[in-house]
Amino acid sequence: MVEKVALIGSGNWGSSVAKLIGRNVQKFDHFDTEVKMWVYQEQIDGRNLTDIINEQHENVKYLPGIKLPENVVACPELVETCKDATMLVFVVPHQFVSSVCKQLKGKIPPNCKAISLIKGIEVQEDGFRLITDMIQDALGIRSCMLSGANIATEVAEERFCETTIGYRNRADGELFRDIFHTPQFRVNIIEDVVGVEMCGALKNIIAIGGGLVDGLKLGANTKAAIIRIGLYEMRKFSQMFYKDVKDETFFESCGIADLVTTCAGGRNRRVAEAHVTTGKSFDQLEIEMLNGQKLQGTSTAKDMYNILTKKGLCDEFPLMTTIYRICYEDLPPIRIVEDI
Ligand SMILES: NC(=O)C1=CN([C@@H]2O[C@H](COP(=O)(O)OP(=O)(O)OC[C@H]3O[C@@H](n4cnc5c(N)ncnc54)[C@H](O)[C@@H]3O)[C@@H](O)[C@H]2O)C=CC1
Ligand SMILES: O=C(CO)COP(=O)(O)O
């Protein structure tokens, strides 16, 4: 069977993986070589971003300076992008997943498979839901999860790194590995979708902590302490809600490695550092510093805090709780080391 891949999302990470997928589908006979990529349409200097991508083969707003393969075709219509696909790659910021799933409901063939590259969770009245579960429930298709120490621009520049795919069905994991793996982007597949997904969502909160201690100029030992306590809280929270999450998952690229890289070089870290040095709000800094890219850590901290409060668990997760309070309750940043 020939598989056809569609990409849902075209931000910084979406565009970077478009380069990997566009090249990899040409290496195997079992893939259609055209990859459609859904672009949330916007105007750049009076032109459609989709037209710019299709003519210049570059996402000039979200991944400037990187050429995309010509078989990646930007499309502004979501349903049109996905209609013939057998493999869907979800890579929109987590706040838009629900609306994407609503638009696709009933329009996806049942033999389709999905993978989420989205680092976040969806909060609901009675708790929270994993993005892979939302995709499965809304569209009636299985979903894998890819997450790792993968700063998008470094991947696009083909600097070596690793990533993790969590699968429920091994054949799905292997098929998705084919579209991502290269000698510079080493994919490891493991049977723990939930663990991979929880790591990706929760590390964004801890990365805010990494940026706060950088802004406070507390040094390398303090950063290491935030990473260690953060990893401990990530594992505790994941296994409290999903007892099958494996300890080993935290030693994969999606676990400790992603935590280290995001605390060293990610957007969450950068904006949190600027919050300390400028005193500006996170919302303001997101607009000023990210040029349309989305901060995931602050909203995930808020979502997580709501869950911890409802379940009476704040005292058991002092680091995540304090990061939330610094982001949303004007707690002085130094409390990150005083309250944990
Ligand atoms: N950038 C990175 O280095 C990495 C990001 N990720 C994850 O990938 C996911 C996607 O992030 P990025 O590709 O970096 O996105 P981004 O933050 O660079 O870009 C924002 C994207 O959202 C789109 N958008 C704006 N309003 C929208 C709407 N109403 N509906 C749908 N889309 C809308 C924009 O057009 C743009 O494509 C996130 O969960 C992120 O945590 C994972 C690994 C690395
Ligand atoms: O997830 C990432 C790297 O693996 C990117 O993190 P930021 O969203 O903080 O840039």
Side-chain angles (χ1 to χ4, degrees), residues 12-13 16 63-64 66 150-159:
N12 190 230
W13 186 219
S16 185
L63 191 62
I66 299 292
N150 303 141
I151 296 207
T153 29
E154 295 181 21
V155 173
E157 288 163 0
E158 299 176 37
R159 303 195 218 166

Side-chain angles (χ1 to χ4, degrees), residues 238-311:
S238 304
Q239 294 181 337
M240 191 178 268
F241 286 86
Y242 298 96
K243 64 177 175 26
D244 292 339
V245 166
K246 297 174 182 165
D247 279 344
E248 304 89 88
T249 301
F250 296 86
F251 293 94
E252 294 289 338
S253 180
C254 63
I256 180 67
D258 195 12
L259 192 53
V260 169
T261 208
T262 320
C263 284
R267 300 169 293 190
N268 287 291
R269 187 217 67 82
R270 199 152 44 90
V271 172
E273 179 183 45
H275 170 73
V276 178
T277 55
T278 66
K280 293 182 183 175
S281 73
F282 282 89
D283 285 349
Q284 180 66 27
L285 290 165
E286 181 182 27
I287 295 165
E288 285 178 14
M289 297 175 69
L290 297 187
N291 188 31
Q293 294 183 34
K294 301 289 176 200
L295 206 57
Q296 310 273 277
T298 45
S299 55
T300 308
K302 188 178 189 177
D303 293 343
M304 202 54 59
Y305 179 75
N306 285 335
I307 296 162
L308 295 178
T309 315
K310 272 191 193 139
K311 308 255 178 214

Side-chain angles (χ1 to χ4, degrees), residues 5-59:
V5 185
L7 198 50
I8 303 171
S10 56
N12 190 230
W13 186 219
S15 303
S16 185
V17 297
K19 179 175 167 186
L20 288 170
I21 297 171
R23 282 193 186 166
N24 276 356
V25 293
Q26 299 181 63
K27 291 185 195 157
F28 298 96
D29 291 337
H30 57 281
F31 294 114
D32 187 316
T33 52
E34 184 192 66
V35 177
K36 285 205 183 115
M37 173 171 79
W38 177 58
V39 174
Y40 182 78
Q41 190 65 287
E42 57 189 294
Q43 302 293 305
I44 313 281
D45 297 330
R47 294 175 69 203
N48 287 332
L49 180 55
T50 45
D51 294 338
I52 300 175
I53 294 174
N54 288 334
E55 283 158 30
Q56 290 174 222
H57 306 291
E58 181 180 336
N59 188 337

